[in-house]
Structure formats: structure tokens, C-alpha cells
Amino acid sequence: MKVSVPLAKSYRLLNHGPVTLVSAADEQEQNVMAAAWAMALDFEPAKVAVVLDKQTHTRQLIEKTGEFVLNIPSKQLAKLTLQVGSTSGKEINKWTSFDIQKEAETDSRIPLLKDCAAWLHCRVISEPHNQQTYDLFIGEVIAAWADDLAFENGHWDFKDESLKTLHYVAGGHFFVTGEAIEVSSGLDSPD
Amino acid sequence: MKVSVPLAKSYRLLNHGPVTLVSAADEQEQNVMAAAWAMALDFEPAKVAVVLDKQTHTRQLIEKTGEFVLNIPSKQLAKLTLQVGSTSGKEINKWTSFDIQKEAETDSRIPLLKDCAAWLHCRVISEPHNQQTYDLFIGEVIAAWADDLAFENGHWDFKDESLKTLHYVAGGHFFVTGEAIEVSSGLDSPD
């Protein structure tokens, strides 16, 4: 079940380096692309950084509306991640071509994809130099959700193994999030 | 064995979202810190982005010298990653306190840590606004290496399981890089 994640904990949805699906929408249309180059940028207010190529239709929608969602796909969506990452919304309708299922929509009509482990709704912090020079977009997280069978009480806990997240390599190659380990620093100070 | 990675393939060392250890050095001293917020930023010339808090001694060395190394620790270094991430080089000598082993040094004296899967030597591209406002540093990758028992011919291939990389969550919690999967988009166009 999709539940809200406190914004101050939302960095944990990205901390382990999963691949993301970036969705965006304006009044006419919606699109989605894949982005492996995404990371948390600040705790509070929570911010993210993501690289969006100038060629992409999703970027055009984001530049127009100033908003996007980082969907964190589960391993069920590996094929879809590759499909939306290797096609353009300028040429095809990805939603119908790949039969993409939506979980819900944000207030701004941006779709949240089904079978994702988490979602971060972000508002662009305008940085034209970064956007032009590096294709680098910075966003403030304005809402975050996770499937409670994957993330609960501020921690990843994959009660449903099929919700494990994906880490992109190249081509059609991914790693699935692996074994959880816990270590102690052995130091007196709190970690 | 540590072998060179072609710069155009070096983004693959970061693509799957591993935690990094950032090392830096000037003529007097060396330091190392942990950074989970690091990602690839471009293919060629290869660039990276990494968040370096203003409080850190490593950042001071980087601002002075304009260079750093992103070490990609293997799971053997989970405890060390937590240790160097929860202490400051302003207060202790991390090298002796944690008995850190060095693999080698760059031409600029920056240490490469032993028991890492890969290393990216980067030169800072000065972006004062990003550095001040977001603690965000952009670097061009000027050399990259990997252990050939972890990464070979441009691909991760963990022949030595103990070289699997780490994905940071929070506190002392990490995930180890998991199962490799390969999918096909089912599309005619090349991926």
C-alpha cells in the first residue's frame, strides 16, 4: 500500500543509488523517461539532483511546468525501465506502447507508476546554468510516498521481495538491491 | 589487480549507485570521508557530481588542491566507511586511527584505498555557486581504475564476491550489490 514518507526521511529513498523513472505532465500530455543519474542533495528541505538530457521530451515538460516525479521502480519494472529509456515520447506514446500502469497521479497530473517501491514529487529549483551546461536539474521534494511492503518507518524493509529496487549498469544490465548488512563503527560517539 | 578503466567507460563505476569514499591530499596531509551522494554526470569527457559538506576537512583539501579521488569501497570496508563517515580529520588522524591501508597514490599524492572495487581520480570544475549553495562539486574524471576481479572489459563482474560494492542507507545500514539481471526491451532499435 502506498503511504506517505516524511520529507526529512525522503533522502533514504535515493540514498542506496537506485535507477529512477522520471515522469512529468502538462495539461495536454504525460511522459516518462529513465534516469540512472539521480541522487539526494539535501536533508531538509529535502532536495534531489537529476540529469535530464536536452533531447528528451520529459525534460521539455519539466521545463514548462517546473515539476517532476522520481519513481523508484521495483525489479518487476526492469524491462519497462529499459523500454522507456530507449525510446522517445516525441515519437511514440509510451503509456499505450508499453501498457504502463499508473498507481495514482499527483495534484499536478503527474503520474506515479504502478509496481514502484517509492515516489518523490519534486519542484524544480531553477538553475539555468546547471541545466544548460550539465543537463543537471535540482528539485525540492514536496511529497514522497513508498509502498509499505518495501519501506516502512523510515527504513527499507523488503517484506515483498518483488519490490526490491534496481541499480542500472548499461544496456539491459541491472543489479537488484542485495543483502542488507549492519555494522558498528566501534566508536563512542553516536553515529 | 588494479587495472586502468577507459575514461569513456568510467561512468559505469558509479552508475549502479555505490557509496563512495572521497580522498584528497595536499603537500602536508591526506584525508578521506564518506559520500553516498555521488553520481555520474557525463560520458565524455567523463564527469561526476558529489556532495561535500562545508564542515569536512576533506572538502578543505579539495578546495585547496582542486582534486579528489572517489574510491568505491568493497563490502570488506563497510565498517571503515561508517568510521570515516562519522569522524572528522580535523580531530583525528583517520589513517592511523582506523589503520587504513593504501593501494597506491595518484601523481597528486591522493591515496587510493586498499580493498576498493574501483577508483576515479577527478579534477574539480570550479562552480562556486553550486559549491556554496548546495555543497555540490563537479569533477572531470582524469583517470580511473578497477580491480579486475570486480570489473573487467567495461563491465562489473564480481569474480571475487568480497569485492561487491556497498549501497548506503543510513546509520550503520548498507545493502550489498545484489543479483545481476539482464533484460531485453523487445524493440527493433538497438539499445
Side-chain angles (χ1 to χ4, degrees), chain B residues 38-86:
Chain B
M39 66 178 181
L41 184 64
D42 208 349
F43 295 106
E44 205 165 6
K47 296 192 193 81
V48 301
V50 59
V51 178
L52 304 170
D53 192 89
K54 288 180 188 65
Q55 305 295 325
T56 63
H57 189 50
T58 303
R59 172 168 167 165
Q60 292 178 347
L61 293 173
I62 293 169
E63 287 180 325
K64 192 169 162 188
T65 60
E67 292 185 40
F68 60 93
V69 169
L70 294 182
N71 304 258
I72 315 288
S74 76
K75 67 180 186 180
Q76 302 170 55
L77 296 189
K79 181 174 181 166
L80 180 68
T81 302
L82 185 63
Q83 287 172 326
V84 302
S86 50

Side-chain angles (χ1 to χ4, degrees), chain B residues 22-40:
Chain B
V22 186
S23 55
D26 67 8
E27 288 170 24
Q28 277 75 46
E29 54 180 333
Q30 304 178 327
N31 202 24
V32 59
M33 61 177 275
W37 297 353
M39 66 178 181

Side-chain angles (χ1 to χ4, degrees), chain A residues 37-59:
Chain A
W37 298 352
M39 67 177 181
L41 185 63
D42 208 348
F43 295 106
E44 205 164 5
K47 296 193 192 80
V48 301
V50 59
V51 178
L52 304 170
D53 193 89
K54 287 180 188 65
Q55 304 296 323
T56 64
H57 188 49
T58 302
R59 172 169 167 164

